[in-house]
Amino acid sequence: MVSQLQELERRSRHLSTSCFNNDLLNATTREKNARMFFHSKVYNVAYCKVPKVGSTFWTLLFTILDNGVNFGKKLLEENRDSIHRRQYTFFSSFEYVKSQQDPTILPARDPYSRLFSAFIDKIYLPVRLNYNYVILSIQNKSVCPTNVSFQDFLKWIVNETKAGKSLNQHWTPIYIICGSCEINAQYVVKQETFAKDIDVVLQRLNVSSEKYDFIMNTLEGTRIQSSLPGIVAQIFEGTSGSNVRRCMPWVEVTRRIWHSFQIQGYIREDRGYPQGTFDSIGDNLAPSLVSDLILAEIFKYPMSSEERQIQRENALKRAYEGVRKDVVDAIKDVYALDFSLYGYSNLPPNER
């Protein structure tokens, strides 16, 4: 713990120094519609909610901190959409957190990884076809915008930024969402060292052994088994509209769900999509059945944490190999402060 604690302290110092050197201590570039903070009254710690950086788990964690383990157990049974729609006692605001200067947890993630994750969850999986129409500049709604490439997505983000438009929170730079230089960011928790960082934060907060054990077991133990049904249910809910059904048969939706879990390192990439199984089910597909089939595959052909990490990294590298250099360079500019403030290399994954 000592070395990881020192690492978190180093990150906090780096952020403070970078903010000062970049004259960002009084930055006012936050999106007014992209601010969400939590504040635990029990442990007097705040958190900036950043999509695609473990925000669902952080919601569970703060529920447990302020309301106890039993509330956390109930929350685990809900799907992600339901969790994020709830009202919580620990909801707070940027203004309050800034004025109080309470210790704050600032989540961070390599911008390249965060962008690819957002693309898979929101664009490749057809849960928000309205974005696909905009990205491809398709006005005719009778056309199906199902073939958006990762490069298309990145180019669109660059163009939206140049036009001065607000970005969706799932791909808005973190420094804009959080006003990182104006809060007391005592804990910069990175997605890449999530479990180790959470361990340090919980011990520093002196949480009870019951809460600590439940949180860490949920994080390190059966997380995919407990969370996957909710994830699949959310995808099905997002793809149930008539427009999606017209543009993409269920078998293609399930193929993309399968592939997304391969990208995330849960299903071995050499395991082909079982089209025969899904074809035989036909239109009687239900989220629970798809979840059961995927979980059966995961447990039949388990992967070590090292294997999962390698598979995720390889998928990320392949994604950026297909993106032109000028697009990557433009992305570096859009996310320059996220790279700098949170200590990430701006070299794309395929060049590291």
Side-chain angles (χ1 to χ4, degrees), residues 184-195:
N184 178 16
Q186 195 166 118
Y187 306 105
V188 179
V189 174
K190 292 192 172 186
Q191 186 78 3
E192 296 78 11
T193 52
F194 198 67

Side-chain angles (χ1 to χ4, degrees), residues 4 7-8 11 189-198:
Q4 197 61 24
E7 169 61 16
L8 262 68
R11 293 174 192 170
V189 174
K190 292 192 172 186
Q191 186 78 3
E192 296 78 11
T193 52
F194 198 67
K196 291 179 181 179
D197 293 352
I198 294 286

Side-chain angles (χ1 to χ4, degrees), residues 125 127 230-240 253 257 260-261:
L125 292 173
V127 296
I231 294 171
V232 172
Q234 182 188 10
I235 295 170
F236 264 65
E237 183 179 336
T239 57
S240 61
V253 173
I257 293 173
S260 73
F261 280 107

Side-chain angles (χ1 to χ4, degrees), residues 76-99:
L76 272 177
E77 297 171 359
E78 300 184 17
N79 67 41
R80 286 193 297 182
D81 234 19
S82 174
I83 289 173
H84 290 297
R85 283 198 299 260
R86 274 176 167 267
Q87 295 294 311
Y88 297 95
T89 58
F90 47 77
F91 277 173
S92 187
S93 67
F94 168 79
E95 289 75 14
Y96 177 83
V97 172
K98 178 184 176 182
S99 66

